[in-house]
């Protein structure tokens, strides 16, 4: 009986075909994924052992009477709209069909043609009519024209088109100018070394011109969201960070709240020194759901325990801040704490693993009261991108000295802005309760500047040069001027690739799919002994033994699919569905699948239920993919086993980061082991 009920939502070809027909009017929301024949066959081989798939569930109509009524209403509305549009359509001119020998439906822009079209002639007023032409070597556009994006590039029309990609020159020495995006020294000798620029952009440019230029890698990251591989070893990262050990400096230790302790470099306390003062900065707090009114205090306590467990002395932790570098939440409070506990006694270093948000926070601090006003417009922003290891060397800006009068002016500004912020928070809470939308519950903040004033290049430590003409001056920061010679600096250090992270295994598209972009809404599941839960191809959790059933909450990107199956068949199912839409990550490329690391297990995880009901006992971390919070009846024991690629980043976090997350779960989906996607905040 139990097995039949669980299998009531299994993949069925006739149901899938009927779903496609019924949902064609509203395909964007209700059409199931278009799977190739091989993927369907591979699924059918193991479908008898699968109890739930989020991909299949998203494409079926077995979600209850109310959902079917919604679908029927949308279909009827779409039919009425299509009929009205057809009635208003003008008749097709037959003469044009004879003139071109093809219809508008085939050639019209947006008509769904699969071939690319080139416009060769127009018959006004019918500009949208085009003819197909054969591509030749002369008319093929080349992506090498990206070099024209650079301001200093002088295009030579007589050059061969392949030279538009740029060419290296090994005989040219490395410059002393750092890239404004990643901090690596600019050079044109070797493309695989950080800071590379083609010789056409590098040679013949004086120092002032290079100071406003970013390297090829940063250029592609910013403009095309494409990463270019460079050969930088983890040992080089650690060597740069260890240079802080003998300096009088404060460390801002950044931690990704969605990925800790995996985002804390092991042994970092020894690298920085046993007496190093640190301020812990937990970033991406805006992406965590609000499971209870005091959830921020719980997160802060959990983060503090993780930092102490990693080797830092509690007495050296000067403050623990929860911020969102992307939305600005908590950044002003962090700056105030920096002024109060550190001032200008020494330099400040942003330290952390890759992808914790150092570059984003560096850019936010650069445009705040922490940076000297004169330097705000002179220091280039760091390259902020989800690709691991974006910042390769240390970028820096001069720190403003917080005199008593300046602190008074800053406090006065913050107090005046606080009144507006309180009213805004009240309005957002009201909108969140009325709409249920997480965008109104997301934590946001405002970063301002108290000491803005007109800047005079002759007085404020600017260095002015010319960029080819008198109409385009370059303003750069002169560190040897009287304004900056005695300054303390805030450094953005390179990211360290943590061995427990799996982000460096992912492609750009997979990385963007794995990293949440909005507040996480937990997904709840009912597990029974002998079942396994897959999170895409990134991880798996086996329920070995324990109570007859237990609820678990998954905190991860909503783009990652889930699947529940028999544990005894989990290995076979993973092998069958890897590279298909049912697991999505990794992608279907055969070469990539051959290099994808196998899932390996952790030792068995034993958990015991707490006395209070509906409280998450612990979090089981699946590296950078997310984590699963386990809920057990009071006093009951249960055994689990977690799997990730090469067993990376499997941790048990006790107590749970969001212990009251069960209050956010949605309603049970009839006939399945899953619940509807939960809320992002408690509506009270």
């Amino acid at each position: 009986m139990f097995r039949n009920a669980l299998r009531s939502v299994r993949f069925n070809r006739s149901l899938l075909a009927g779903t496609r027909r019924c949902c064609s009017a509203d395909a964007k929301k209700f059409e199931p994924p278009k799977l190739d024949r091989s993927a369907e066959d591979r699924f059918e081989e193991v479908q008898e052992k699968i109890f739930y798939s989020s991909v299949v569930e998203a494409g079926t109509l077995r979600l209850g009477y109310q959902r079917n009524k919604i679908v029927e209403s949308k279909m009827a509305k779409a039919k009425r709209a299509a009929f009205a549009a057809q009635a208003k359509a003008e008749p097709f001119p037959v003469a044009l069909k004879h003139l071109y020998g093809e219809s508008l439906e085939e050639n019209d822009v947006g008509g769904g043609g699969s071939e690319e079209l080139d416009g060769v002639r127009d018959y006004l007023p019918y500009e949208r009519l085009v003819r197909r032409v054969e591509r030749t070597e002369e008319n093929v556009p080349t992506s090498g024209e990206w070099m024209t994006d650079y301001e200093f590039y002088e295009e030579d029309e007589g050059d061969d088109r392949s030279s538009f990609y740029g060419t290296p020159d090994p005989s040219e020495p490395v410059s002393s100018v750092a890239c404004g995006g990643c901090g690596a020294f600019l050079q044109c000798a070797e493309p695989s070394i950080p800071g590379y620029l083609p010789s056409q952009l590098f040679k013949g440019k004086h120092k002032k011109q290079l100071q406003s230029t970013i390297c090829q890698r940063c250029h592609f990251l910013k403009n095309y969201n494409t990463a270019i591989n460079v050969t930088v070893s983890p040992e080089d990262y650690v060597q740069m960070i260890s240079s802080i050990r003998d300096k009088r400096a404060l460390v801002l230790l950044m931690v990704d709240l969605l990925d800790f302790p995996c985002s804390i470099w092991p042994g970092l306390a020894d690298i920085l020194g046993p007496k190093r003062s640190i301020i812990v900065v937990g970033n991406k707090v805006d992406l965590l759901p609000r499971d209870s009114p005091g959830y921020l205090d719980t997160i802060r306590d959990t983060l503090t325990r993780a930092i102490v467990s990693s080797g830092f002395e509690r007495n050296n932790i000067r403050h623990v801040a929860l911020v969102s570098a992307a939305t600005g939440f908590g950044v002003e409070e962090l700056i105030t704490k920096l002024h109060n506990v550190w001032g200008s006694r020494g330099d400040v270093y942003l330290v952390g693993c890759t992808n914790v948000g150092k570059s984003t926070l560096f850019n936010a601090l650069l445009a705040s009261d922490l940076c000297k006003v004169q330097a705000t417009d002179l220091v280039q922003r760091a390259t902020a991108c989800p690709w691991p290891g974006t910042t390769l060397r240390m970028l820096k800006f001069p720190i403003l000295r917080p005199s008593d009068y300046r602190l008074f002016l800053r406090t006065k500004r913050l107090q005046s802005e606080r009144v507006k912020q309180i009213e805004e928070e009240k309005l957002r809470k009201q909108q969140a309760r009325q709409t249920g939308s997480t965008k109104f519950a997301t934590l946001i903040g405002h970063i301002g500047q108290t000491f803005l004033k007109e800047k005079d290049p002759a007085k404020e430590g600017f260095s002015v040069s010319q960029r080819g003409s008198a109409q385009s001056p370059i303003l750069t920061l002169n560190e040897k001027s009287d304004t900056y010679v005695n300054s303390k600096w805030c450094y953005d250090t390179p990211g360290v690739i943590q061995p427990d992270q799996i982000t460096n295994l992912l492609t750009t598209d997979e990385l963007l799919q794995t990293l949440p972009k909005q507040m996480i809404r937990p997904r709840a599941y009912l597990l029974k002994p002998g079942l396994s839960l897959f999170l895409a191809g990134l991880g798996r959790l086996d329920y070995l033994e324990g109570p007859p059933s237990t609820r678990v909450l998954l905190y991860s990107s909503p783009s990652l699919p889930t699947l529940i199956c028999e544990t005894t068949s989990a290995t076979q199912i993973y092998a069958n569905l890897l590279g298909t839409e049912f697991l999505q990550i990794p992608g279907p490329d055969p070469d990539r699948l051959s290099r994808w690391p196998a899932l390996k297990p952790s030792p068995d995880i034993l958990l015991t239920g707490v006395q209070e009901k509906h409280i998450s006992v612990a979090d089981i971390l699946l590296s950078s993919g997310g984590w699963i919070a386990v809920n057990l009846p009071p006093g009951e024991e249960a055994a689990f086993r977690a799997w990730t690629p090469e067993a990376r980043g499997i941790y048990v976090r006790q107590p749970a980061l969001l212990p009251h997350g069960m209050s956010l779960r949605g309603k049970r989906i009839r006939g399945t082991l899953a619940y509807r996607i939960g809320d992002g905040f408690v509506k009270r």
Side-chain angles (χ1 to χ4, degrees):
M1 211 39 205
F2 168 66
R3 183 179 296 273
N4 292 335
L6 291 177
R7 291 176 176 169
S8 62
V9 293
R10 286 213 183 95
F11 186 90
N12 185 284
R13 277 193 175 180
S14 61
L15 176 62
L16 183 59
T19 302
R20 286 175 177 166
R21 291 194 296 270
C22 294
C23 298
S24 59
D26 196 10
K28 288 186 178 179
K29 287 189 177 180
F30 297 103
E31 186 175 86
K34 296 180 179 179
L35 307 173
D36 55 50
R37 178 69 180 177
S38 61
E40 291 186 19
D41 293 341
R42 290 157 67 181
F43 186 89
E44 286 187 347
E45 290 178 9
V46 294
Q47 65 175 322
E48 293 300 319
K49 302 170 184 177
I50 295 177
F51 297 103
Y52 173 81
S53 169
S54 62
V55 176
V56 174
E57 186 65 36
T60 64
L61 297 179
R62 294 187 180 182
L63 296 178
Y65 174 80
Q66 183 179 4
R67 176 70 177 270
N68 288 330
K69 284 295 183 182
I70 294 175
V71 173
E72 293 174 3
S73 174
K74 287 181 176 292
M75 290 170 57
K77 184 177 180 181
K79 288 181 180 179
R80 290 194 298 268
F83 181 82
Q86 186 177 5
K88 295 179 180 178
E90 297 181 0
F92 178 73
V94 180
L96 286 179
K97 183 174 181 179
H98 287 288
L99 176 65
Y100 282 88
E102 51 192 351
S103 66
L104 273 174
E105 288 78 8
E106 293 174 347
N107 287 327
D108 199 5
V109 175
S114 61
E115 295 186 28
E116 252 185 284
L117 305 177
D118 288 334
V120 293
R121 58 186 300 189
D122 292 325
Y123 288 82
L124 295 176
Y126 308 103
E127 293 90 351
R128 297 173 74 183
L129 284 171
V130 293
R131 279 188 182 275
R132 293 186 178 90
V133 296
E134 294 294 328
R135 290 184 178 273
T136 63
E137 290 299 327
E138 288 75 21
N139 60 32
V140 176
T142 172
S143 61
E145 293 178 358
W146 67 269
M147 289 176 58
T148 59
D149 295 347
Y150 279 93
E151 190 161 357
F152 298 125
Y153 179 62
E154 298 176 359
E155 185 176 357
D156 186 354
E157 307 246 347
D159 283 350
D160 184 79
R161 296 188 72 86
S162 62
S163 69
F164 288 179
Y165 290 100
T167 53
D169 186 354
S171 63
E172 194 72 15
V174 178
S175 73
S176 60
V177 179
C179 168
C182 65
F185 289 125
L186 296 176
Q187 51 88 21
C188 70
E190 175 54 51
S192 65
I193 297 178
Y196 172 75
L197 271 176
S199 59
Q200 289 85 345
L201 298 173
F202 182 84
K203 296 170 66 174
K205 305 301 184 296
H206 53 72
K207 183 176 180 180
K208 300 303 180 184
Q209 287 178 316
L210 293 178
Q211 284 177 342
S212 62
T213 305
I214 59 176
C215 70
Q216 184 189 65
R217 181 173 184 268
C218 291
H219 184 82
F220 272 86
L221 281 171
K222 283 187 173 182
N223 295 284
Y224 307 107
N225 195 32
T226 301
I228 299 175
N229 290 331
V230 293
T231 54
V232 179
S233 65
E235 290 77 13
D236 294 335
Y237 286 120
V238 177
Q239 184 178 2
M240 290 181 185
I241 293 176
S242 62
S243 64
I244 307 172
R245 185 181 182 92
D246 299 325
K247 296 182 179 179
R248 180 178 176 84
L250 175 72
V251 169
L252 291 182
L253 176 58
M254 291 198 67
V255 179
D256 185 351
L257 292 176
L258 305 181
D259 189 22
F260 78 93
C262 293
S263 58
I264 305 174
W265 179 256
L268 185 61
D270 296 331
I271 296 173
L272 295 175
K275 297 182 179 180
R276 176 66 55 202
S277 296
I278 66 169
I279 290 181
V280 181
V281 181
N283 191 29
K284 305 182 185 179
V285 68
D286 60 308
L287 300 179
L288 292 175
R290 308 167 74 164
D291 68 326
S292 64
Y295 81 110
L296 290 179
D297 293 332
T298 304
I299 294 172
R300 187 178 288 106
D301 293 341
T302 306
L303 177 59
T304 303
R305 281 192 290 268
I307 295 297
V308 173
S309 299
S310 64
F312 287 92
E313 294 291 337
R314 187 178 293 270
N315 293 335
N316 293 339
I317 302 175
R318 309 294 291 273
H319 179 62
V320 178
L322 303 180
V323 307
S324 169
T327 68
F329 176 81
V331 176
E332 287 283 19
E333 290 77 5
L334 173 62
I335 295 170
T336 300
K337 203 68 181 180
L338 282 168
H339 285 157
N340 292 338
V341 305
W342 189 250
S344 58
R345 284 181 281 175
D347 296 331
V348 176
Y349 289 84
L350 281 170
V351 175
C353 294
T354 58
N355 201 44
V356 297
K358 295 190 308 299
S359 295
T360 306
L361 182 61
F362 177 84
N363 294 337
L365 296 177
L366 178 60
S368 72
D369 285 343
L370 190 66
C371 177
K372 285 191 173 182
V373 180
Q374 308 94 314
T376 300
D377 297 331
L378 302 179
V379 179
Q380 293 197 43
R381 270 60 178 168
T383 303
C385 179
W387 194 270
T390 304
T391 304
L392 300 174
R393 292 185 67 89
M394 296 187 188
L395 305 175
K396 64 179 181 179
F397 65 78
I399 297 175
L400 180 71
R401 182 179 179 183
S403 64
D404 291 342
Y405 180 66
R406 283 173 172 166
L407 292 178
F408 167 74
L409 294 178
R410 171 177 164 78
T411 303
K412 190 175 180 180
R413 175 181 67 83
L414 293 177
Q415 289 176 344
S416 64
E417 293 177 354
R418 183 58 182 162
V419 177
K420 298 179 182 178
Q421 293 174 9
I422 291 175
E423 294 300 320
E424 181 182 349
E425 289 172 4
K426 289 181 180 178
L427 177 61
R428 288 174 59 83
K429 287 181 180 179
Q430 182 181 359
Q431 291 173 323
R433 294 192 187 99
Q434 292 175 349
T435 64
S437 174
T438 56
K439 72 177 183 179
F440 297 115
T442 302
L443 299 174
I444 63 172
H446 303 277
I447 306 172
Q449 289 180 284
T450 309
F451 317 110
L452 284 177
K453 62 182 179 179
E454 294 295 328
K455 308 178 185 70
D456 182 0
K459 299 179 180 179
E460 301 294 352
F462 288 81
S463 178
V464 183
S465 63
Q466 302 301 318
R467 182 186 296 162
S469 66
Q471 286 74 29
S472 55
I474 304 174
L475 299 179
T476 58
L477 188 148
N478 182 8
E479 298 181 22
K480 298 181 180 179
S481 68
D482 294 339
T483 306
Y484 305 115
V485 68
N486 295 319
S487 295
K488 304 302 180 183
W489 299 82
C490 178
Y491 291 89
D492 180 17
T493 66
V496 182
I497 301 175
Q498 226 271 32
D500 283 335
Q501 293 178 313
I502 60 172
T503 51
N504 61 325
L505 299 177
L506 306 178
T507 64
T508 305
D509 292 339
E510 293 168 351
L511 193 63
L512 294 174
Q513 189 177 356
T514 303
L515 300 178
K517 303 174 185 63
Q518 297 178 342
M519 180 184 289
I520 294 175
R521 297 169 61 185
R523 289 178 277 177
Y525 301 94
L526 186 68
L527 289 186
K528 298 178 180 292
L531 296 183
S532 297
L533 172 63
F534 277 99
L535 174 61
L538 303 178
R540 158 186 157 194
L541 181 68
D542 300 342
Y543 185 15
L544 302 179
E545 59 181 351
S549 65
T550 186
R551 295 189 184 98
V552 297
L553 288 170
L554 173 63
Y555 296 89
S556 70
S557 169
S559 302
L560 297 179
T562 57
L563 183 146
I564 299 177
C565 65
E566 296 176 344
T567 301
T568 54
S569 305
T571 302
Q572 177 192 357
I573 291 171
Y574 183 77
N576 269 41
L577 301 183
L578 196 67
T580 69
E581 288 293 323
F582 297 100
L583 295 179
Q584 292 189 11
I585 297 178
D589 179 47
D591 180 61
R592 171 158 175 70
L593 291 175
S594 66
R595 291 182 286 105
W596 180 255
L599 294 185
K600 294 184 179 180
S602 67
D604 292 355
I605 300 170
L606 302 178
L607 299 175
T608 303
V610 296
Q611 296 302 317
E612 191 175 352
K613 290 184 178 181
H614 306 302
I615 296 294
S616 297
V617 176
D619 295 331
I620 300 177
L621 278 71
L622 303 177
S623 189
S624 305
W627 71 92
I628 298 173
V630 179
N631 288 260
L632 292 172
E636 295 281 355
E637 295 183 349
F640 298 86
R641 182 180 297 138
W643 303 64
T644 59
E646 299 176 340
R648 294 192 189 186
I650 300 175
Y651 289 95
V652 178
R653 188 165 54 200
Q654 285 184 299
L657 183 66
L658 300 168
H660 302 281
M662 192 55 65
S663 62
L664 302 175
R665 76 181 187 277
K667 294 182 179 180
R668 179 84 174 271
I669 301 176
R670 190 188 327 178
T672 75
L673 296 171
Y675 293 76
R676 298 188 187 277
I677 190 168
D679 297 322
F681 58 95
V682 178
K683 299 177 182 178
R684 64 171 183 263

